C-alpha cells in the first residue's frame, strides 16, 4: 500500500517477509489402526458407515463426500468425480472394489426416496453457481441429487423450500471420534485423519508423488510432499547409535 498506492518509501520495509504458519505433520493412522476404527463403525447407521469408508478409500474431504451427487459416481469406470473441491478444482479419484455393492445399494435406496420426493413435490435440490436459474428443471433431476441425502426434510434458509439436504457432516465426525475411542486409538482422530492416512498408505504402496497429488487435488506438489516426512522411520530413517551397541 505504501509503495504502490501512497508512493511513500519506507526503508524499514526492505526485506519484509510475511509471517508463516508453523508446519505441522499430519496425524496418520497405521493400517491396523484404520482396520480397528472401521470395525467400530460397523454399527453406525447407514450411510454414515459407508461415508467413513469412502473417506479412507478415496481420500476425499468430509464435505466433498457428503455433497457427492449421483451424476459424479461412475460405477462402471469405478471412479468418483469430485466437483468444486478446495480451490474450486475438479478431480477424479478411485472407487474401491469393496464399496461397489454398498454404493449400488445406497443409490437404489436413494432412487426410491427420489421417486417419493417427486410425488410430494419436494425433489428439488440446491444447485451451485446459479445453475438453478440457467437450468430450471435440473434441481429435480436424478443426476443432481445428493447420494447421501438426509432421511428427513428440512427448510432451505435461502429459498424457504422444504426438501432433502445432504447428511449432516457433524454426525460423521461424531462417529469417527467415537470409533477411535472404542478402538483404543490414542492419536487425535477426525474424518480428515482418514484422508491423511489414505495419502500416506498409497505412498507406502509405491505410487509416485504426482499420482498422490492428483488424487488429493493439491495444486502444489510441495503440499503433498509433507506425507513423505510421515513415511520416514524414526528421525529421518536414521538408525539410533543405541541400536548399534
Amino acid at each position: 500500500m505504501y509503495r504502490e498506492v501512497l508512493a511513500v518509501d519506507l526503508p524499514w520495509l526492505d526485506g519484509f517477509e510475511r509471517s508463516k504458519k508453523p508446519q505441522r505433520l499430519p496425524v496418520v493412522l497405521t493400517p491396523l489402526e484404520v482396520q480397528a476404527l472401521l470395525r467400530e463403525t460397523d454399527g453406525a447407521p447407514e450411510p454414515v458407515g459407508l461415508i467413513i469408508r469412502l473417506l479412507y478409500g478415496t481420500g476425499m474431504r468430509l464435505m466433498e463426500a457428503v455433497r457427492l451427487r449421483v451424476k459424479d459416481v461412475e460405477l462402471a469406470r469405478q471412479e468418483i468425480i469430485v466437483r468444486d473441491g478446495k480451490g474450486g478444482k475438479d478431480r477424479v479419484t478411485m472407487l474401491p472394489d469393496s464399496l461397489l455393492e454398498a454404493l449400488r445399494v445406497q443409490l437404489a435406496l436413494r432412487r426410491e426416496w427420489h421417486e417419493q420426493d417427486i410425488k410430494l413435490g419436494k425433489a428439488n435440490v440446491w444447485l451451485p453457481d446459479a445453475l438453478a436459474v440457467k437450468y430450471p428443471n435440473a434441481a429435480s433431476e436424478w443426476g443432481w441429487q445428493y447420494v447421501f441425502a438426509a432421511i428427513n426434510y428440512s427448510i432451505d434458509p435461502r429459498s424457504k423450500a422444504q426438501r432433502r439436504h445432504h447428511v449432516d457432516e457433524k454426525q460423521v465426525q461424531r462417529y469417527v471420534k467415537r470409533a477411535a475411542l472404542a478402538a483404543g486409538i490414542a492419536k487425535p482422530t477426525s474424518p480428515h485423519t482418514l484422508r491423511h492416512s489414505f495419502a500416506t498408505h498409497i505412498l507406502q504402496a509405491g505410487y509416485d508423488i504426482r499420482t498422490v497429488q492428483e488424487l488429493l487435488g493439491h495444486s502444489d506438489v510441495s503440499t503433498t510432499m509433507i506425507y513423505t516426512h510421515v513415511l520416514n522411520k524414526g528421525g529421518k530413517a536414521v538408525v539410533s547409535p543405541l541400536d548399534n551397541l
Side-chain angles (χ1 to χ4, degrees):
M1 184 184 71
Y2 280 99
R3 183 171 56 247
E4 305 296 338
V5 180
L6 301 178
V8 175
D9 185 23
L10 296 178
W12 56 268
L13 278 176
D14 293 341
F16 178 82
E17 293 185 4
R18 292 180 179 273
S19 59
K20 297 179 180 178
K21 281 186 176 182
Q23 191 180 56
R24 308 289 185 191
L25 289 178
V27 175
V28 173
L29 304 181
T30 66
L32 287 177
E33 286 173 331
V34 173
Q35 288 177 16
L37 184 145
L38 294 180
R39 278 197 302 269
E40 295 298 333
T41 63
D42 286 343
E46 292 301 344
V48 174
L50 177 54
I51 293 172
I52 293 171
R53 282 168 169 74
L54 268 180
L55 295 179
Y56 175 66
T58 65
M60 285 193 292
R61 299 176 179 90
L62 174 58
M63 294 310 298
E64 291 171 346
V66 298
R67 290 173 177 166
L68 186 63
R69 310 269 182 162
V70 171
K71 67 182 181 62
D72 296 324
V73 178
E74 295 281 357
L75 294 177
R77 292 168 57 90
Q78 289 190 226
E79 65 182 29
I80 290 175
I81 303 171
V82 180
R83 303 284 184 185
D84 197 24
K86 192 174 182 180
K89 298 185 295 292
D90 295 350
R91 71 180 191 278
V92 178
T93 187
M94 78 284 283
L95 175 54
D97 286 338
S98 56
L99 298 182
L100 268 175
E101 186 55 34
L103 207 47
R104 283 196 183 97
V105 171
Q106 173 64 25
L107 288 171
L109 174 63
R110 186 66 187 89
R111 187 77 177 194
E112 291 179 11
W113 289 5
H114 181 56
E115 290 172 358
Q116 294 173 13
D117 296 343
I118 290 175
K119 293 175 182 177
L120 295 173
K122 299 177 181 179
N124 283 7
V125 69
W126 177 81
L127 296 182
D129 303 326
L131 283 175
V133 176
K134 189 174 182 181
Y135 305 109
N137 296 324
S140 60
E141 291 176 0
W142 167 236
W144 282 100
Q145 302 302 307
Y146 290 119
V147 174
F148 304 114
I151 296 176
N152 300 315
Y153 300 110
S154 56
I155 303 294
D156 189 311
R158 288 158 292 199
S159 65
K160 305 303 179 184
Q162 189 179 39
R163 56 194 181 189
R164 291 189 198 274
H165 196 46
H166 56 66
V167 167
D168 185 2
E169 65 275 10
K170 293 184 180 63
Q171 190 179 9
V172 181
Q173 292 169 337
R174 286 194 296 268
Y175 270 95
V176 169
K177 187 173 183 179
R178 190 180 305 172
L181 290 172
I185 298 172
K187 302 169 186 175
T189 306
S190 70
H192 208 68
T193 307
L194 296 173
R195 175 175 161 89
H196 293 320
S197 303
F198 163 86
T200 305
H201 295 167
I202 58 176
L203 278 172
Q204 285 176 327
Y207 292 96
D208 64 274
I209 194 76
R210 292 290 182 181
T211 299
V212 180
Q213 178 191 1
E214 290 181 11
L215 290 173
L216 295 178
H218 290 160
S219 56
D220 193 336
V221 72
S222 62
T223 308
T224 318
M225 287 293 290
I226 193 170
Y227 297 109
T228 62
H229 298 296
V230 182
L231 286 174
N232 292 327
K233 179 184 176 183
K236 303 291 183 184
V238 175
V239 176
S240 169
L242 180 64
D243 294 334
N244 291 326
L245 295 179

